């Protein structure tokens, strides 16, 4: 009898262990070893958002234990890619890397097909990237003062590149035109990578773009760097001599491009937590830090890497930008 009880207890213990193991397996099923996690970039490959995403994908691969791939879904200033993720299966395999447009699109672009505040799960913020005002190498101006003279002489004849209505380059270009009191001709692309090619080739004249895309081009003199959009000058060697727009006389001009990671609404809480944990590991990855800092980016280490703070920050940025955009009189129907 004693023996029997013992046996029954052992069987029960084994059964409990088996249940635990199945439970652990069920929990461990995400991410499945044979499935990659896709980071959707709402701009074409080779541009600044793509640069951040590719470096991040590499750094998140290890903590997630599966491949992390980048899917470029450019167009409509970042709205197409964002919409793709808003409507994607909420299974943890599709995430979105997007920038400040998540906060400016709701004011800049009327009728966007998704709701920034309720169609996504917020997974944490990544970094902040300054912008630069750059020009084609043949432009007859060598500093920001000469650039403003040239802009005033040529106005609407000037082709101002951007990554589409609602993009960061579009916002920066709109603010620049409002601050200078001139209207230039906007030339939209599906990302600033192709716009950069045309700027180098002289097909367009000027552009605002993130340092993650412009640093190397300014350094090699493929384009002319005129100013930075931050309140302080940058320390990156290739950019340290560029004046800020504020010191160049454009009062209150300040725009920095922050990035955050999002999942479709309804992504399971456990997957959200794992993605956030992997993001935090990536943000401490020395290789990721080195690559991003070399391009002028500042990696977030504050509480904005927490999903709740990320969400609060985006909501505050929507409030911050709405009056500025409205005051500049810029929006797209
Ligand atoms: N820099 C672009 C923008 O203006 C986006 C990109 O091509 O990454 O938003």
């Amino acid at each position: 009898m004693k023996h029997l009880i013992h046996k029954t207890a052992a069987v029960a213990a084994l059964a409990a262990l088996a249940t635990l193991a199945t439970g652990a397996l069920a929990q461990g099923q995400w991410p499945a070893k044979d499935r990659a996690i896709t980071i959707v970039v709402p701009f074409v490959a080779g541009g600044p958002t793509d640069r951040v995403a590719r470096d991040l994908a590499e750094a998140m691969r290890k903590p997630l234990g599966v491949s992390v791939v980048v899917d470029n879904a450019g167009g409509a200033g970042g709205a197409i890619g964002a919409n793709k993720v808003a409507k994607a299966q909420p299974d943890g395999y599709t995430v979105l890397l997007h920038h400040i447009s998540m906060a400016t699109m709701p004011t800049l672009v009327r009728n966007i097909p998704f709701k920034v505040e309720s169609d996504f799960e917020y997974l944490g913020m990544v970094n902040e990237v300054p912008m630069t005002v750059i020009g084609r190498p043949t432009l007859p101006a060598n500093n920001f003062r000469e650039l403003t003279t040239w802009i005033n002489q040529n106005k609407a004849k000037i082709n101002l590149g951007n990554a589409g209505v609602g993009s960061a380059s579009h916002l920066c270009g709109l603010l620049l035109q409002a601050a200078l009191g001139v209207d230039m001709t906007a030339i939209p692309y599906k990302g600033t990578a192709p716009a950069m090619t045309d700027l180098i080739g002289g097909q367009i004249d000027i552009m605002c773009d993130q340092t993650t895309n412009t640093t190397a081009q300014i350094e090699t003199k493929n384009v002319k760097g005129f100013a930075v959009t931050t309140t302080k000058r940058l320390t990156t060697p290739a950019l340290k001599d560029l004046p800020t727009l504020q010191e160049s006389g454009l009062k209150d001009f300040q725009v920095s491009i922050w990035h955050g990671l999002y999942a479709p609404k309804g992504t399971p809480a456990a997957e959200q937590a794992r993605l956030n944990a992997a993001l935090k590991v990536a943000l401490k990855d020395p290789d990721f830090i080195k690559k991003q800092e070399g391009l002028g980016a500042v990696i977030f280490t504050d509480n904005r890497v927490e999903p709740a703070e990320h969400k609060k920050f985006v909501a505050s940025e929507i409030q911050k930008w709405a009056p500025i955009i409205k005051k500049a009189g810029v929006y797209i129907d």
Side-chain angles (χ1 to χ4, degrees):
M1 187 66 180
K2 209 176 170 193
H3 175 74
L4 244 182
I5 290 172
H6 220 93
K7 211 172 157 192
T8 315
V11 169
L14 274 176
L17 265 179
T19 313
L20 261 178
T22 321
L25 242 187
Q27 270 176 19
Q29 271 167 3
W30 185 94
K33 290 286 162 227
D34 58 347
R35 276 195 74 180
I37 290 170
T38 300
I39 301 182
V40 173
V41 169
F43 299 101
V44 294
T49 316
D50 183 66
R51 179 72 273 136
V52 176
R54 282 177 200 272
D55 290 351
L56 190 65
E58 207 174 311
M60 286 180 76
R61 191 169 300 145
K62 225 197 206 154
L64 287 168
V66 292
S67 306
V68 182
V69 298
V70 170
D71 170 22
N72 296 89
I80 289 177
N83 194 40
K84 184 173 177 175
V85 175
K87 311 280 186 304
Q89 235 358 62
D91 55 10
Y93 289 99
T94 307
V95 297
L96 169 73
L97 180 85
H98 213 328
H99 59 29
I100 192 171
S101 281
M102 289 296 267
T104 55
M105 266 189 300
T107 315
L108 258 182
V109 188
R110 312 250 163 114
N111 306 319
I112 44 173
F114 54 86
K115 290 191 181 63
V116 169
E117 285 177 285
S118 54
D119 285 350
F120 298 95
E121 306 290 356
Y122 289 60
L123 300 175
M125 298 188 68
V126 181
N127 64 8
E128 189 160 29
V129 185
M131 293 193 104
T132 43
V133 178
I134 54 174
R136 61 176 158 84
T138 49
L139 204 81
N142 289 313
N143 53 47
F144 190 73
R145 198 180 34 80
E146 288 176 14
L147 181 71
T148 47
T149 308
W150 180 81
I151 288 175
N152 281 322
Q153 283 162 355
N154 292 281
K155 295 180 177 148
K157 277 192 273 167
I158 298 169
N159 289 327
L160 172 66
N162 67 44
V165 165
S167 65
S169 44
H170 178 232
L171 170 75
C172 180
L174 289 172
L175 295 174
L176 187 66
Q177 292 174 92
L180 293 174
V182 292
D183 283 331
M184 303 180 223
T185 304
I187 311 288
Y189 294 81
K190 286 186 175 177
T192 44
M196 179 65 87
T197 306
D198 278 4
L199 190 72
I200 294 169
Q203 284 85 12
I204 58 171
D205 301 303
I206 59 171
M207 176 163 75
C208 274
D209 201 15
Q210 284 99 305
T211 57
T212 27
N213 201 32
T214 64
T215 307
Q217 306 299 350
I218 293 171
E219 194 170 19
T220 52
K221 301 204 177 353
N222 277 340
V223 297
K224 287 187 177 181
F226 290 108
V228 293
T229 62
T230 42
T231 48
K232 284 193 189 129
R233 287 191 182 209
L234 302 176
T235 52
T236 317
L239 309 171
K240 67 177 178 15
D241 294 330
L242 298 184
T244 67
L245 284 170
Q246 288 194 7
E247 72 177 85
S248 307
L250 303 193
K251 204 175 145 279
D252 299 334
F253 200 114
Q254 192 269 329
V255 54
S256 262
I257 308 308
W258 44 262
H259 295 87
L261 210 57
Y262 307 80
K265 188 82 194 165
T267 299
E271 272 81 315
Q272 290 182 46
R274 294 270 313 268
L275 286 161
N276 172 256
L279 169 66
K280 286 179 187 154
V281 171
L283 298 185
K284 292 205 167 86
D285 183 308
D287 198 41
F288 177 73
I289 296 172
K290 193 170 162 227
K291 285 192 229 160
Q292 287 289 303
E293 286 186 349
L295 296 172
V298 177
I299 313 288
F300 286 132
T301 52
D302 57 37
N303 60 8
R304 283 175 293 177
V305 300
E306 302 297 343
E309 292 302 318
H310 176 193
K311 190 163 188 178
K312 254 197 238 163
F313 180 78
V314 174
S316 73
E317 284 279 288
I318 292 174
Q319 298 304 320
K320 171 187 154 178
W321 284 102
I324 299 172
I325 293 167
K326 282 180 188 151
K327 190 171 165 216
V330 290
Y331 63 84
I332 281 85
D333 273 315

